[in-house]
Amino acid sequence: MQSDRIRPAPAVVVMGVAGCGKSAVGEALAAALGAVFVEGDRLHPPENVARMASGEPLTDALREGWLDAIGQRIAGPVGDGQSVVAACSALKRSYRERLRGFCQDILFLYLEIDPATAKQRVGSRQGHFMPASLVDSQFATLEPPAADENVLTLDATRPIADIVADVTSLFEPDS
């Protein structure tokens, strides 16, 4: 974690593989920042949900419309002057660039986690369409963000409150 304070971006995308805590961290961060929260999982078309529920990983083509839906949900409030926090796996650089097509000024918060912990978390959650069997495909697809992508990388195994406190402490106070 760096100690330099940064200017908050109008949009933060909490990203990483299934089970890293995107939704929980995203909701808590949005509440701490007074931002709109966008849950990317809710924007998957029913066909994608059915594929994943049956253990089929999504292709790049199947993710395009979903990424566009998230990008639009980010761009709307940002265009109205509101901050947004979105939970979206954003596993590949091309996916992150697609989101930036809707809002150039996005800070990616990459929740880094190991495969065993991710599988355990996904396997123990209730009522979610993503089976633990797809965690390996998420890691196979993952292109960890590079330093030039406006990213903060954090340990996803830490408590949610600590992650949120670390992120908010980096932001410059509003002047």
Side-chain angles (χ1 to χ4, degrees), residues 29-83:
L29 183 60
L33 297 175
V36 173
F37 178 65
V38 175
E39 173 54 76
D41 281 347
R42 291 197 188 118
L43 299 175
H44 275 294
E47 305 80 35
N48 283 7
V49 172
R51 280 185 174 92
M52 288 183 283
S54 69
E56 181 184 336
L58 297 180
T59 64
D60 289 352
L62 290 171
R63 285 185 172 103
E64 288 178 356
W66 171 66
L67 290 166
D68 290 349
I70 294 169
Q72 290 165 1
R73 291 282 177 98
I74 291 170
V78 167
D80 292 336
Q82 292 181 287
S83 296

Side-chain angles (χ1 to χ4, degrees), residues 11-15 70 74 84-90 99 106-110:
V12 176
V13 172
V14 183
M15 62 158 291
I70 294 169
I74 291 170
V84 176
V85 176
C88 172
S89 55
L99 292 172
I106 294 176
L107 171 65
F108 287 95
L109 177 57
Y110 172 42

Side-chain angles (χ1 to χ4, degrees), residues 119-137:
K119 280 183 193 176
Q120 183 275 324
R121 285 182 176 182
V122 172
S124 66
R125 63 186 179 189
Q126 301 290 317
H128 196 280
F129 57 82
M130 173 73 90
S133 62
L134 285 181
V135 171
D136 288 336
S137 72

Side-chain angles (χ1 to χ4, degrees), residues 134-171:
L134 285 181
V135 171
D136 288 336
S137 72
Q138 294 255 300
F139 277 95
T141 302
L142 177 64
E143 296 172 0
D148 68 335
E149 291 188 74
N150 194 23
V151 62
L152 293 174
T153 299
L154 295 170
D155 178 354
T157 64
R158 295 181 58 233
I160 293 165
D162 292 352
I163 293 171
V164 170
D166 283 352
V167 173
T168 57
S169 73
L170 290 174
F171 291 156

